[in-house]
Amino acid sequence: MELKLESIGIVKSPVIEGVDNNWGEVKSEIIVDSEFAAGLKGLEEFSHAIIVYFMHKSSFCIETDLQRRPQGRDDMPIEGIFSQRAKHRPNPIGITSVQIVSVQDNILRVKGLDAIDGTPVLDIKPYYPVYDMKQEAKTPEWVDVLMKNYF
């Protein structure tokens, strides 16, 4: 099946190469294409949003990326790609919940977006706790170790 997606904007970030830690304090701008700028109306009333983006500098090799150690770390177990949030995936689509700093014209300023400068943005969704936060969610222990310094 052929799918067609087009970006609605682009990330402007001080981070130009992917890293595995310390994204929590990164402040970025999402420059929304002018034709979609009116779609930001009302987003300033939310504290957080979910950014969906295309990891344009990622690649995927089925032999090395289908099962791997998260972040390539020796202290991590070998896991399948669909149990990880790794950037090297069959379809390099990223999602991150971010704090909204401000909305002005066609610029959404956010904090905590783990996308590098120039990343195409596919969608912006408001964070709804009723949808996006699950009280009974569980993860394996290795996730807590992996994410210790990520944000």
Side-chain angles (χ1 to χ4, degrees), residues 43-63:
L43 195 58
E44 71 281 352
E45 297 182 45
F46 290 84
S47 65
H48 291 77
I50 297 172
I51 309 303
V52 182
Y53 52 94
F54 184 77
M55 295 180 283
H56 65 297
K57 297 235 175 153
S58 293
S59 60
F60 180 76
C61 174
I62 199 163
E63 291 83 16

Side-chain angles (χ1 to χ4, degrees), residues 89-140:
R89 353 186 27 83
N91 289 308
I93 297 170
I95 60 169
T96 305
S97 296
V98 298
Q99 179 184 350
I100 295 172
V101 175
S102 67
V103 181
Q104 183 179 15
D105 302 322
N106 69 323
I107 301 173
L108 172 61
R109 290 179 180 84
V110 299
K111 183 176 174 186
L113 178 59
D114 57 346
I116 63 173
D117 190 59
T119 297
V121 176
L122 301 174
D123 201 1
I124 300 167
K125 298 180 182 297
Y127 183 92
Y128 286 13
V130 68
Y131 288 138
D132 303 316
M133 184 175 65
K134 304 300 178 193
Q135 297 296 328
E136 301 301 318
K138 71 173 196 154
T139 59

Side-chain angles (χ1 to χ4, degrees), residues 26-82:
V26 174
K27 291 183 180 175
S28 303
E29 293 181 341
I30 297 171
I31 312 300
V32 175
D33 294 346
S34 59
E35 65 186 299
F36 299 114
L40 294 173
K41 182 179 181 341
L43 195 58
E44 71 281 352
E45 297 182 45
F46 290 84
S47 65
H48 291 77
I50 297 172
I51 309 303
V52 182
Y53 52 94
F54 184 77
M55 295 180 283
H56 65 297
K57 297 235 175 153
S58 293
S59 60
F60 180 76
C61 174
I62 199 163
E63 291 83 16
T64 57
D65 295 326
L66 190 61
Q67 290 188 355
R68 60 187 285 280
R69 295 182 190 278
Q71 296 179 358
R73 290 174 40 175
D74 289 338
D75 64 331
M76 293 287 118
I78 295 174
E79 299 290 342
I81 192 61
F82 301 125

